[in-house]
Amino acid sequence: MVADALSGKSSGLNLFSDISILQRKWRAAKKPGQRLPFFEDVMLGSLGRLSDDIMLLRERGAILEITRAGRDAETWLDLDVWNTPVSSLVPDCALSLEEAVGCAHKNGKPYRAMAHCVRHGNVQAYDLLALPFASRWGELLTGVYVHTSGAAYDLLDAVFSATDDGILSLTAIRDADGQPVDFQIVHLNDATARLLNLPPDELRWRRLSCGSHALSASDIVSHLVGAVRGGNSKEFELASGERTLKLSAAPTGDLLALTLTDVTELKRREQSFRLLFNSNPMPMWVFDAQTKAFIGVNDAAVSHYGYDRSAFLSMTLYDIWPEDEREAHARALDQVGDAYQSSQNWRHVKADGSEIEVLVFGRRVAFDGRDGFLVCSVDITERRRAEARVAYMAHHDALTGLPNRVKFQDHLRRSLERGSSAAKSVAVLCIDLDLFKNVNDSFGHPTGDRLLRAVAERLNASLPANSLVARLGGDEFAMVVEGDFSPSELSGVAARLIDILSAPYHVEGLDLVIGASIGIAVSPGDGETGEDLLRNADMALYRAKADGGSMHHFFEKEMDRQAQKRRDMEFDLRRALAGGEFELHYQPLVDLAQDRIVAFESLLRWKHPQKGMISPADFIPVAEDIGLIVPIGEWVLREACMQAAKWPSDIRVAVNLSPVQFRSRNLVLLVIAALGQSGLAASRLELEITESLFLADTEANISTLHQLRELGVRISMDDFGTGYSSLNYLRSFPFDKIKIDRSFVRDLGDRPDSLAIVRAISGLGRSLNISTTAEGVETRDQLDRLRLEGCTEVQGFLFSAARPASEVGSLMQKFGQCASKAA
């Protein structure tokens, strides 16, 4: 039923029509303050001929019944109705009345509807108007006016006319032996004439075989004769010009119902699908939606999975699922709709028994008349291995394989959470090697690195229960110990560690002897956070070193000697900026493809009036802690831009940024000012950051990086893989460059894993269209290997140490256009 509520106006109806008259009488009878007019004021008297078209309904509890009806209303209902439940009427009348009455009372006003009733194959439309009333004896009543609307029409003809499919009725013509040999067309719709490209009069009553259309072909007539003889429905296809028609024949005695469906576009799509499917370089298959059996595989799937085609087509999906994943696979497949893609990585089994990790994408398709799913399989095995290695690097030290600082801090945080809930202590032991610098200076970094690996092995082998040991950098290690322990037990642990680490090492024929100093801080007395414990353990370590080394110290509140030293440096730093004690040195970056210097990295130096040159590793952390790194960083940026503006226009300058500088939130304005004052093009400025920037205020820092990038400034990630590296950071921001830490470069010739790491990072850079710079290049062998692995740029002592600004010009003149030969 199609219905629409009427407003107080007649909505375009003739003012004097029956419906308009009833609406006006209903409105006139409705008194101010009444929700509904009384039945007696509208329906009693003066209705005249309209009473023949009206029926009265009332509700008895949940039952709606007709109490009386006029002659024409009874004709519509097709029975005499007095006190008859509506539910006992024919369904089309019952539904129309229930909806009209319900809507009228819900809206509290007349409701007009249209009902369509089917009788003896004919459809007749009726106008309905439901008028809700109150009654003086408290019942809710409804008067329903019903009247025919338009002429009746044949339902079957309407359906045949509306469809795009051709529909014919054929009668069989039999020979002298009573066998069907031909047909006569006795009925057809307009779609048939359109599909056969003939007027209806040239088809109706004609013998099928005598026509000039596609159905007249002898093979088609034979198919239809066979359907009548066998008494079975048949489906087949025929080509009619550029069209492809699907024929469905259903016989009933000598009468044959024939349906023509234009499947031309479907066939074209199937042809395109098969072309895409068969020639696609990605492994693809189609499986049956019910049985999960393979019903089609392309050449790429046969080649990649190793099964021959016949074997593949005799298998089901279960045969390529590992046993431990079959249940999960099946559950996931049961939940897919018409299209799906992997919500996780899955494993598949190849013909040789090996497993690959894949992503799968699929959609429901019809394939050779069967309901199936088209699936594309993407092998991500190698990618996942590379990602796993880089992800491992993000949490482990590349040299020793121990957890790195970020993993250590995370473990310490979780240990403190567990200790707080269980009222147990957590101890942090900071371990620093004594005399390690002497080994490095005397025998070189390769020997020092081998010694560090040996130290890591001893620490791992001597770990107490519920403990973790990490390398924080250089010759610094740290251990977390949790549980119930006394100070004397911790002291015993530290003493044993010192003895173990002080035993001689045999490294490449050398007998090396070093020592170890340890600082200890214990929660909650020495700190309740990881940062506090690590800082206080570090202070205790400095005390142990200051007392001669090869000993351990617990943190004490009165450890002020280190604090005093720190305060002295803070005082000197505040004076240094104003006193002009800082200067910038520049180290060249060489582009391997161009074989020339393309940039210089600016490196801060502090020349103390009494103490001489102070290492940036000593004063920069202090400057960051006391907030001086912001004004110092501003000076570095302005000075580097001013110097670079004097260089050739194709030479860039790289400036390191501290995470502390991002907290000031005026970094972008500072960069704009430095570029404006110097006149340096933004594209010549490269800002280097470390992954530690993302450990706090990540969203704000990424926003600042995007603003800098929009200026045209290049952004580099420094020391990739040494402490906090993660693929997530590369996804968070489109870096222009990642810098491979010198620790990986140093072992290129000796350690295959270092070479693999450099290769992985270089490959990652190429895949993401990010340049890669290798730091710490000291030998030609390292240079050759880096060039072979596809690194973009290199820097290191092989070319030059960092030099004062006054020597930059001579450096560029020395290297000229062929840096590798000048190195």
Side-chain angles (χ1 to χ4, degrees):
M1 182 181 72
V2 180
D4 59 308
L6 296 179
S7 63
K9 296 184 179 180
S10 59
S11 301
L13 292 172
N14 188 321
L15 184 63
F16 300 104
S17 69
D18 294 349
I19 290 178
S20 297
I21 291 170
L22 290 170
Q23 286 180 308
R24 284 188 287 108
K25 287 178 68 64
W26 187 91
R27 289 196 299 272
K30 184 173 180 288
K31 301 296 189 294
Q34 285 183 323
R35 183 175 183 273
L36 298 174
F38 287 114
F39 162 75
E40 297 86 351
D41 296 339
V42 179
M43 302 299 285
L44 294 183
S46 71
L47 286 180
R49 63 177 176 80
L50 294 180
S51 61
D52 289 339
D53 297 311
I54 293 177
M55 66 186 78
L56 183 65
L57 298 93
R58 67 181 176 186
E59 293 185 16
R60 287 184 177 273
I63 299 175
L64 180 66
E65 66 178 18
I66 302 173
T67 62
R68 67 194 69 168
R71 289 178 305 175
D72 293 340
E74 286 185 337
T75 301
W76 176 61
L77 297 172
D78 203 20
L79 77 162
D80 296 334
V81 287
W82 288 88
N83 298 324
T84 301
V86 170
S87 59
S88 67
L89 302 177
V90 291
D92 47 8
C93 294
L95 179 61
S96 300
L97 286 173
E98 288 172 349
E99 290 194 7
V101 170
C103 291
H105 281 284
K106 180 180 180 181
N107 296 333
K109 58 186 178 181
Y111 189 88
R112 184 187 173 192
M114 180 167 284
H116 292 82
C117 299
V118 181
R119 300 288 184 274
H120 311 296
N122 290 322
V123 180
Q124 176 64 62
Y126 293 87
D127 282 318
L128 273 67
L129 180 69
L131 302 163
F133 300 113
S135 69
R136 300 190 187 280
W137 53 90
E139 284 186 302
L140 288 178
L141 302 175
T142 309
V144 177
Y145 167 86
V146 58
H147 196 272
T148 58
S149 175
Y153 57 90
D154 185 276
L155 177 61
L156 193 57
D157 284 343
V159 173
F160 283 1
S161 299
T163 181
D164 289 331
D165 288 346
I167 300 175
L168 303 88
S169 295
L170 309 177
T171 58
I173 299 174
R174 296 181 178 269
D175 61 12
D177 296 325
Q179 297 298 318
V181 293
D182 203 350
F183 296 90
Q184 184 182 35
I185 302 174
V186 296
H187 183 272
L188 71 153
N189 65 353
D190 292 340
T192 300
R194 176 177 55 78
L195 292 173
L196 296 180
N197 295 317
L198 286 173
D201 291 340
E202 293 187 22
L203 294 167
R204 190 178 291 111
W205 306 116
R206 303 296 177 91
R207 287 177 68 109
L208 193 63
S209 62
C210 296
S212 59
H213 48 82
L215 297 182
S216 303
S218 59
D219 57 332
I220 300 300
V221 175
S222 297
H223 275 298
L224 298 178
V225 166
V228 172
R229 285 177 177 170
N232 298 319
S233 298
K234 278 193 173 185
E235 287 189 355
F236 50 94
E237 293 179 356
L238 75 90
S240 176
E242 295 183 355
R243 281 198 179 105
T244 301
L245 301 179
K246 178 182 178 182
L247 277 62
S248 300
T252 304
D254 278 0
L255 184 64
L256 185 69
L258 185 62
T259 303
L260 310 180
T261 304
D262 188 346
V263 293
T264 307
E265 188 59 34
L266 177 62
K267 288 297 180 181
R268 287 175 182 161
R269 288 199 300 269
E270 286 183 358
Q271 185 177 8
S272 298
F273 162 75
R274 288 189 177 277
L275 179 63
L276 174 64
F277 178 77
N278 291 327
S279 61
N280 201 298
M282 301 298 295
M284 301 178 76
W285 56 74
V286 181
F287 69 86
D288 187 285
Q290 296 300 319
T291 66
K292 308 302 185 289
F294 291 103
I295 55 179
V297 292
N298 69 355
D299 292 340
V302 170
S303 173
H304 194 73
Y305 280 76
Y307 303 101
D308 61 55
R309 191 176 303 277
S310 59
F312 228 136
L313 294 176
S314 67
M315 296 162 54
T316 68
L317 287 177
Y318 300 98
D319 296 318
I320 66 168
W321 293 343
E323 288 188 11
D324 60 326
E325 276 193 0
R326 286 180 181 174
E327 186 176 341
H329 270 289
R331 280 199 309 270
L333 198 56
D334 288 341
Q335 296 170 3
V336 303
D338 288 339
Y340 69 91
Q341 65 182 48
S342 294
S343 58
Q344 65 182 74
N345 300 337
W346 297 101
R347 288 158 35 232
H348 282 175
V349 179
K350 298 174 69 172
D352 61 4
S354 63
E355 293 184 358
I356 57 175
E357 197 164 354
V358 299
L359 294 173
V360 291
F361 306 85
R363 65 177 299 107
R364 190 179 292 272
V365 296
F367 188 85
D368 289 342
R370 298 164 71 175
D371 182 22
F373 275 93
L374 169 66
V375 177
C376 175
S377 170
V378 182
D379 188 342
I380 59 169
T381 309
E382 291 303 320
R383 188 181 83 187
R384 292 291 294 164
R385 286 173 181 165
E387 288 175 350
R389 179 58 184 165
V390 176
Y392 179 85
M393 289 162 46
H395 295 88
H396 291 80
D397 175 55
L399 177 64
T400 63
L402 292 178
N404 62 8
R405 183 181 295 271
V406 69
K407 187 172 179 66
F408 175 84
Q409 290 175 332
D410 181 64
H411 182 86
L412 177 57
R413 175 184 57 78
R414 287 186 282 109
S415 295
L416 288 169
E417 290 173 355
R418 287 193 297 269
S420 175
S421 61
K424 293 184 178 181
S425 296
V426 175
V428 172
L429 284 68
C430 283
I431 306 166
D432 189 83
L433 302 181
D434 300 331
L435 305 177
F436 177 77
K437 185 176 182 300
N438 294 346
V439 174
N440 252 354
D441 293 343
S442 302
F443 303 106
H445 291 297
T447 300
D449 289 347
R450 293 183 183 94
L451 178 58
L452 288 174
R453 286 194 287 270
V455 169
E457 290 174 1
R458 293 188 183 184
L459 286 172
N460 251 335
S462 55
L463 265 180
N466 300 322
S467 302
L468 175 136
V469 65
R471 182 189 178 210
L472 303 185
D475 59 347
E476 295 181 56
F477 299 83
M479 186 176 291
V480 177
V481 181
E482 54 182 308
D484 293 320
F485 44 75
S486 65
S488 61
E489 289 172 327
L490 273 180
S491 181
V493 169
R496 284 194 299 274
L497 287 175
I498 292 173
D499 289 342
I500 290 169
L501 296 178
S502 300
Y505 296 82
H506 304 285
V507 179
E508 293 187 334
L510 298 172
D511 288 331
L512 303 176
V513 178
I514 58 173
S517 301
I518 299 177
I520 307 170
V522 184
S523 72
D526 297 339
E528 297 182 353
T529 68
E531 291 80 1
D532 290 343
L533 283 178
L534 192 58
R535 181 179 60 251
N536 292 339
D538 203 42
M539 290 182 65
L541 170 64
Y542 284 136
R543 175 68 177 270
K545 299 282 281 186
D547 287 352
S550 293
M551 63 179 64
H552 65 274
H553 268 299
F554 284 86
F555 172 75
E556 300 172 1
K557 301 294 185 187
E558 41 299 330
M559 284 183 174
D560 59 355
R561 187 157 53 178
Q562 291 85 352
Q564 181 60 49
K565 181 180 180 181
R566 162 83 174 224
R567 287 193 291 272
D568 291 343
M569 179 170 284
E570 290 177 9
F571 177 83
D572 290 346
L573 273 173
R574 290 188 172 92
R575 187 196 63 221
L577 184 60
E581 297 174 13
F582 292 116
E583 58 187 56
L584 290 182
H585 288 194
Y586 300 87
Q587 186 174 37
L589 279 73
V590 175
D591 185 293
L592 291 179
Q594 301 180 51
D595 199 21
R596 69 180 187 89
I597 295 175
V598 293
F600 285 89
E601 180 179 0
S602 59
L603 300 170
L604 181 62
R605 298 292 185 260
W606 179 15
K607 190 173 183 180
H608 193 281
Q610 287 81 38
K611 302 175 183 177
M613 297 298 287
I614 297 178
S615 169
D618 293 334
F619 71 81
I620 286 182
V622 178
E624 288 180 334
D625 288 344
I626 64 176
L628 272 181
I629 196 64
V630 174
I632 292 175
E634 291 180 5
W635 176 85
V636 169
L637 187 60
R638 287 195 304 269
E639 181 68 16
C641 289
M642 292 294 291
Q643 288 294 333
K646 303 174 185 177
W647 303 341
S649 61
D650 59 346
I651 303 297
R652 302 187 307 273
V653 65
V655 178
N656 290 280
L657 293 181
S658 164
V660 179
Q661 291 176 265
F662 280 76
R663 296 180 200 148
S664 68
R665 298 304 174 213
N666 67 344
L667 180 60
V668 176
L669 295 177
L670 170 63
V671 172
I672 293 173
L675 292 173
Q677 292 170 4
S678 64
L680 183 70
S683 60
R684 295 180 59 197
L685 176 60
E686 191 170 285
L687 299 178
E688 295 187 4
I689 64 170
T690 62
E691 296 93 329
S692 59
L693 174 67
F694 297 97
L695 293 182
D697 295 328
T698 301
E699 291 185 4
N701 291 338
I702 289 178
S703 175
T704 300
L705 289 175
H706 278 292
Q707 294 177 56
L708 292 170
R709 186 82 182 282
E710 288 172 1
L711 296 176
V713 173
R714 293 164 57 88
I715 307 295
S716 300
M717 181 188 288
D718 199 9
D719 298 337
F720 181 75
T722 57
Y724 305 97
S725 301
S726 170
L727 293 176
N728 286 334
Y729 303 147
L730 297 183
R731 293 195 306 172
S732 301
F733 183 80
F735 288 91
D736 295 286
K737 179 191 293 186
I738 50 179
K739 301 190 75 174
I740 304 172
D741 189 70
R742 66 183 66 247
S743 62
F744 304 132
V745 174
R746 189 165 52 234
D747 291 341
L748 278 178
D750 300 318
R751 292 186 57 181
D753 56 346
S754 289
L755 181 61
I757 290 168
V758 171
R759 181 176 298 147
I761 296 175
S762 298
L764 184 65
R766 285 194 300 275
S767 299
L768 298 176
N769 198 26
I770 299 175
S771 299
T772 50
T773 297
E775 300 179 299
V777 180
E778 298 181 357
T779 68
R780 284 198 169 273
D781 179 64
Q782 292 170 349
L783 177 64
D784 291 340
R785 291 175 183 272
L786 291 167
R787 181 183 284 114
L788 185 63
E789 294 306 328
C791 276
T792 312
E793 297 173 355
V794 292
Q795 70 180 106
F797 286 176
L798 177 64
F799 300 96
S800 173
R803 300 297 185 189
S806 59
E807 299 181 23
V808 168
S810 60
L811 272 176
M812 287 190 287
Q813 185 176 5
K814 172 187 175 184
F815 286 98
Q817 296 298 316
C818 193
S820 61
K821 293 182 179 179

